[in-house]
Amino acid sequence: MTLPTNNRPSKSYLTDTINDTTLTTHINSPNTTKFGTYYDSFNKTIDATALSSAQMIPHTAYPFEFNNNTITITEQEMVRANQKNIANYLKSSMAEEINNTVSQMANINDINKTRQLRDDQMESIYNKVNKGYVDITLSMW
């Protein structure tokens, strides 16, 4: 059994959850609205990341040859369970960082600074999944 090494989510795939349209639409909204929107968007990014990562794990973490007649686990059930675990792990480990980024984004009205903060946070999430992928996989294993 080996750890999966490919099919990781692309940066553009992750950025879709908090794209430039989202930022420009909310730049002049009240801070609480911006905070909620940005926070939800980063959580959706983590959920998308978790799904993409979970789709690589089933045959690694739960090889089908180990299933028997009394315990049948479908691949879809494994993906859902792994997605939830990965998302919870990422949200927990990145909560303070994301909260700080969202707070900064909500308190400024400069679209360029908002984009930069978004891009920096997206890079952090992307790196957590790709460079930290072995940690996530091993925590599932």
Side-chain angles (χ1 to χ4, degrees):
M1 224 177 337
T2 60
L3 296 175
T5 58
N6 55 15
N7 298 324
R8 294 179 183 138
S10 69
K11 285 183 188 179
S12 62
Y13 172 74
L14 298 180
T15 306
D16 286 345
T17 60
I18 185 165
N19 57 32
D20 284 351
T21 303
T22 302
L23 298 181
T24 55
T25 299
H26 291 91
I27 195 72
N28 293 316
S29 297
N31 289 4
T32 54
T33 301
K34 288 193 285 188
F35 187 93
T37 299
Y38 300 155
Y39 193 83
D40 288 346
S41 294
F42 283 126
N43 278 331
K44 286 177 185 173
T45 298
I46 288 175
D47 290 337
T49 301
L51 176 60
S52 183
S53 297
Q55 290 171 331
M56 294 187 288
I57 294 175
H59 297 289
T60 303
Y62 306 101
F64 286 105
E65 63 265 23
F66 292 119
N67 291 340
N68 61 38
N69 292 335
T70 58
I71 302 174
T72 303
I73 301 172
T74 68
E75 184 173 344
Q76 199 170 38
E77 290 170 324
M78 286 184 275
V79 167
R80 277 194 302 268
N82 287 335
Q83 178 187 15
K84 181 180 176 185
N85 289 335
I86 292 168
N88 288 342
Y89 168 79
L90 290 172
K91 288 175 184 176
S92 173
S93 67
M94 299 186 81
E96 186 176 340
E97 174 187 336
I98 289 172
N99 209 22
N100 288 337
T101 299
V102 169
S103 292
Q104 290 177 53
M105 290 172 68
N107 288 308
I108 59 174
N109 292 323
D110 180 325
I111 192 66
N112 292 324
K113 288 181 183 177
T114 303
R115 277 190 194 113
Q116 186 60 52
L117 287 165
R118 184 261 329 258
D119 292 348
D120 291 348
Q121 186 60 61
M122 296 304 283
E123 185 72 21
S124 180
I125 293 170
Y126 182 78
N127 286 338
K128 188 79 159 178
V129 171
N130 288 288
K131 291 179 184 170
Y133 186 74
V134 171
D135 294 338
I136 293 170
T137 303
L138 290 175
S139 73
M140 298 300 303
W141 220 350

